[in-house]
Structures are given as structure tokens and as C-alpha cells.
Amino acid sequence: GSGREVVRLRTYLPILKHYCDTGDAPSALSTYRSMQSTDGVIFEPETYVMVLACLAQNGHLREDSEPLDGATTRLGFESACGPGLFDEVCREMADDCLEITSASARRLSNAFARGFAGGRPRGDEGAEDGEDDDDDGGSRSAVV
């Protein structure tokens, strides 16, 4: 019934958020795949944004990034890192949602800025960059 689906979602989301917040991209991707394979779990646009932001912020979508352990072998992604992984997650996102909020678009933009700044990611140096609150017409949505 729908009660079980709500419980599953309530269980998955905090776990996924924890992995994303701590930069544990392999565990985040594993949880993401588990959520996808669970009947009745419906992804909100913000769930995709959380996963993409985690991957981007930690440099896993760069062409020179290290492959994520188990992404292709265990989780069934075609690409284990870089633009290919970005394309795959975005294609899945496009199947489920048509737009993201301007706040989600800013979050992704900031995550990409951190993940692509100055070569391979290094600790927290420059982590504050791109986090200003300049409002560029925040009422717009980004079509995906």
C-alpha cells in the first residue's frame, strides 16, 4: 500500500541526504539506485539536484575525475564519472521532471563552480566562492 511507500521514502531521503552532505558519492549513487528500483518511490526534482550537486561539488563530473567505485560494475551506470555520468543522471531526471526551481538551479551552479574550480578538488579552500546571495531574478525556473 501507499503507507509502505511513504516509509521507504522517509527512510531513503535522510540517508541519501547524509551521503550527499558528507561527499560520499559512491554511497549516494548506491542509495539513488536503490531508490530507483523500489516500487512506489517517486523522485522529486530536488532529489536529482541533491545527487547531481554531490557529484559536481566533489569533482566527479570532471573529465579528469577518478571513476566512482562500483558505478558501472555494481550499479549499472554506463559511465563511472565525468560528463557521461552527468548525462546519464540528467537523462533519468528528464524522464521524471520538467523543471527545477531557481533555488535548485543556483545550488547546482554553485556545486559545479566548486567542483570545477582550479583543477582537482582540494579540501575546503575556496568553498565559500559562489555562495553569495545575489538575486538574479530568483522567481524563474530552469527547464530541464
Side-chain angles (χ1 to χ4, degrees):
S2 65
R4 289 186 69 124
E5 291 146 10
V6 170
V7 171
R8 286 185 193 131
L9 194 55
R10 285 185 184 161
T11 301
Y12 277 125
L13 280 178
I15 294 168
L16 180 63
K17 183 175 180 349
H18 168 76
Y19 289 142
C20 290
D21 288 348
T22 58
D24 185 351
S27 295
L29 275 184
S30 180
T31 303
Y32 168 77
R33 273 295 194 240
S34 293
M35 292 172 73
Q36 285 181 314
S37 66
T38 301
D39 289 337
V41 172
I42 298 168
F43 281 59
E44 294 291 327
E46 291 75 20
T47 306
Y48 288 106
V49 169
M50 187 184 335
V51 172
L52 285 169
C54 174
L55 294 171
Q57 182 169 320
N58 292 287
H60 298 296
L61 300 180
R62 297 168 50 103
E63 287 194 35
D64 63 348
S65 62
E66 294 292 321
L68 290 165
D69 187 40
T72 55
T73 55
R74 189 171 44 84
L75 300 176
F77 285 97
E78 294 171 22
S79 300
C81 61
L85 182 58
F86 173 74
D87 288 345
E88 253 181 283
V89 176
C90 284
R91 280 194 312 266
E92 293 169 0
M93 180 177 166
D95 289 340
D96 283 347
C97 60
L98 296 176
E99 64 181 48
I100 60 174
T101 64
S102 59
S104 290
R106 275 193 302 274
R107 179 178 181 187
L108 278 176
S109 177
N110 291 340
F112 274 95
R114 280 188 224 106
F116 281 78
R120 289 190 176 273
R122 311 176 292 255
D124 289 330
E125 184 179 327
E128 304 301 316
D129 291 348
E131 291 204 36
D132 56 44
D133 289 328
D134 286 355
D135 188 11
D136 58 353
S139 62
R140 295 185 302 248
S141 293
V143 176
V144 177

